[in-house]
Amino acid sequence: MIADYAEVIHDDRVHGSLYSDPEVFDHEMDRIFRRGWVFVGHESEVPQPGDWVTRLIGLEPVIMVRGTDRTVRVLSNRCAHRGTALCWREKGNSRVFQCNYHGWTFGLDGSLRGVPHKAGFERERAELGLDRPRAVELYRGFVFANISGDAGPLSDHLGAGGRELIDRLCDLSPTGNIRLDAGWIGHRIQSNWKMWPESDEDGYHVDFVHISMLRTTQSYYQDTIVGGEASNNSRAVDHGGGHSELDMRPGYKSQLSWLGVTREKVTEYCNAMVRRYGEARANRLLWEGPPHAFIFPNLFLAELNLARVEPLGVNLTVHYHTAVQFEGVDDQFNRRLLRQSEAALGPGSFIVADDAVTAERMQTAFAGAAVGRSSNGFGAAWIDLSRGQKRERVDEQGRRIGHVSDEVTNRAFWRRYRQMMRAK
Amino acid sequence: MSVDQPSPSAVIVADVTRREIEAFLYLEARLADESRYAEWEALVTDDMHYWVPKGAADYDPATRLSYINDNRARLATRIRQLRTGLRHAQTPPSPMRRIISNIEILEADDAAGRFVVASNFVLYEVAAQATNELRIWPGRVTHHLRRVEGRLRMSKKIVELVTSELPQPNMAFLL
């Protein structure tokens, strides 16, 4: 039992039982995933009326669906009658949702449309529509939901920092729009979900966890995130609200480094960018590339990929990823992004497979951490997040900034986490 | 797996050819099980495609994401990475054994030395890198085989996992 989460989450260290205590997980499902904003999906996943995908918000099963009025809605994937799941595939297209148990049908807007043998139905149909998150908002096609409805507007949750991060990704598309239609790959990891916002935004581990990748392939990571402060000047940024970034822009040696090509290889794309943004802005966008950032609590803007973190239990997480696809580019360009995605993320990838083992090794080490929570000696199981705390600075927009290898990003996550977990 | 298309029928080949194909499959399986990366790599052709699709292998892998979709160059990178000895996701290499059965030769051109062979498998893996759990990987493999300088080599290996629509644990070994 944790009386006050401030006791186990300090600015520079947190207690390992936060990864392994089932009670903490239950609190998170309520205080973070029910009462806060959570990324659900992208509207391009449901382009046509009736298109739907199934998702979890915390442990709550939901359907993200486009209605006949073209509005994207998020509905409970649980029949309002006796609770049967209405959709059990990953995605599909339906005119209505019909429960297989007693044949109740619901419209794409969640309203109850039909009840078989209606003479014995003694309620108003309006009382028994599908439950839904109280608040759903989109930002540049990214769909977020807040189940409880008391998290305030999405723009406050994202803040200027979160919005800028999403903008920087979408602005790399020559139409300003991205598509997420390449399919999601699920990576099942026996670790707590919080290892993922941590490791996805850890600029200190690449030399070690990914040493086999670094020795085998050439990539821009050599210039941007390897070797510590002696060899690069990339930055770790706390954008506020728990959103954080490994800002590799200072390390890029040329335009399009982040794509691993020169301009001649993607002429059509570059021309389209110039047509949309003008030469000066296009040049800057093509130099800066996409962000490597995490939007609290579950969305990873993984450069040219997106990942979402799905907690399934205190010891079990799925890290889903897909490749970002741009509108207004040729197929060859988008296919390049697919191949890069397969190399970087997922269970067979050259990069994240090594993070997965590392997370599982952490989880193993925290199995008994709750027992030692009140002790100070052996078994106390604190983790240290102090790296670079003294050398971080605050810029004019209030962002905390350190060297990319500093734990600025991890502290950003935990600061927001502590704030939400302390709310009773 | 689509049931809209008729399922292919096996073809009959000379007994000695069938023995040759089976011997190749068993050798390939054993080298993969024992993480003998260089010996395994010697079994592939220069145009090798190693594909672990998400769902059935009924889509063009160029157009959608797969778990693994290696051309020859990327497969070489995969094996180089494993051979660094620093690939944490396979340090130590998983102890593995797989059973191969239901071998069907779907296409055969003995004169040209080209065969398409399907088989079922169950692979048992101990995830020895962290959790030490026993992982069971059932599925179906399609091999495209070609005789090169008198010996069979594979130019394609497609691994359709029974669980392939579900999230997968690490598959950093050779499936």
Side-chain angles (χ1 to χ4, degrees), chain B residues 118-131:
Chain B
S119 57
N120 289 352
F121 73 95
V122 184
L123 163 61
Y124 298 89
E125 180 217 359
V126 174
Q129 301 79 30
T131 65

Side-chain angles (χ1 to χ4, degrees), chain A residues 11 28 36 71 174 188 297 319 333 348 369 384:
Chain A
D11 286 340
E28 290 168 349
T71 301
R188 185 180 193 274
H319 195 260
F333 186 94
D384 178 77

Side-chain angles (χ1 to χ4, degrees), chain A residues 180-390:
Chain A
L180 298 189
D181 58 2
W184 292 92
I185 296 287
H187 190 174
R188 185 180 193 274
I189 301 127
Q190 285 169 281
S191 81
N192 186 263
W193 67 276
K194 298 187 291 300
M195 271 70 162
W196 294 93
E198 289 192 309
S199 108
D200 288 339
E201 289 304 307
D202 182 304
Y204 187 25
H205 74 295
V206 179
D207 286 315
F208 310 100
V209 169
H210 303 301
I211 185 169
S212 64
M213 181 272 292
L214 295 171
R215 290 204 183 167
T216 323
T217 59
Q218 275 299 318
S219 83
Y220 54 88
Y221 288 137
Q222 312 275 0
D223 298 326
T224 55
I225 203 165
V226 169
E229 51 277 79
S231 71
N232 74 70
N233 54 0
S234 296
R235 312 183 310 164
V237 182
D238 169 358
H239 284 274
H243 317 312
S244 64
E245 180 190 10
L246 301 179
D247 181 7
M248 292 184 279
R249 292 174 292 181
Y252 288 141
K253 296 272 194 286
S254 61
Q255 235 181 35
L256 292 163
S257 287
W258 48 274
L259 195 58
V261 298
T262 55
R263 224 168 141 146
E264 296 68 47
K265 289 272 165 63
V266 287
T267 316
E268 196 182 314
Y269 168 65
C270 295
N271 291 343
M273 290 292 283
V274 170
R275 279 197 300 276
R276 178 175 170 88
Y277 296 108
E279 188 72 45
R281 178 144 183 244
N283 272 332
R284 201 184 65 203
L285 288 166
L286 294 173
W287 186 283
E288 293 186 344
H292 184 115
F294 206 95
I295 303 293
F296 189 94
N298 69 330
L299 171 61
F300 180 23
L301 306 176
E303 300 166 44
L304 294 165
N305 308 282
L306 280 190
R308 55 189 167 89
V309 176
E310 194 174 273
L312 291 181
V314 71
N315 295 319
L316 185 60
T317 302
V318 178
H319 195 260
Y320 283 98
H321 78 272
T322 190
V324 170
Q325 300 279 274
F326 290 151
E327 279 187 4
V329 301
D330 55 68
D331 287 349
Q332 194 190 357
F333 186 94
N334 276 331
R335 287 175 183 190
R336 176 192 294 276
L337 305 187
L338 295 178
R339 302 293 83 80
Q340 291 186 352
S341 190
E342 284 159 345
L345 288 111
S349 67
F350 299 146
I351 300 180
V352 177
D354 291 318
D355 295 301
V357 158
T358 307
E360 290 178 341
R361 287 176 182 169
M362 284 177 76
Q363 194 69 30
T364 305
F366 290 134
V371 175
R373 195 148 54 205
S374 56
S375 70
N376 285 312
F378 179 81
W382 288 89
I383 70 162
D384 178 77
L385 292 172
S386 64
R387 183 181 166 82
Q389 196 178 23
K390 293 202 178 99

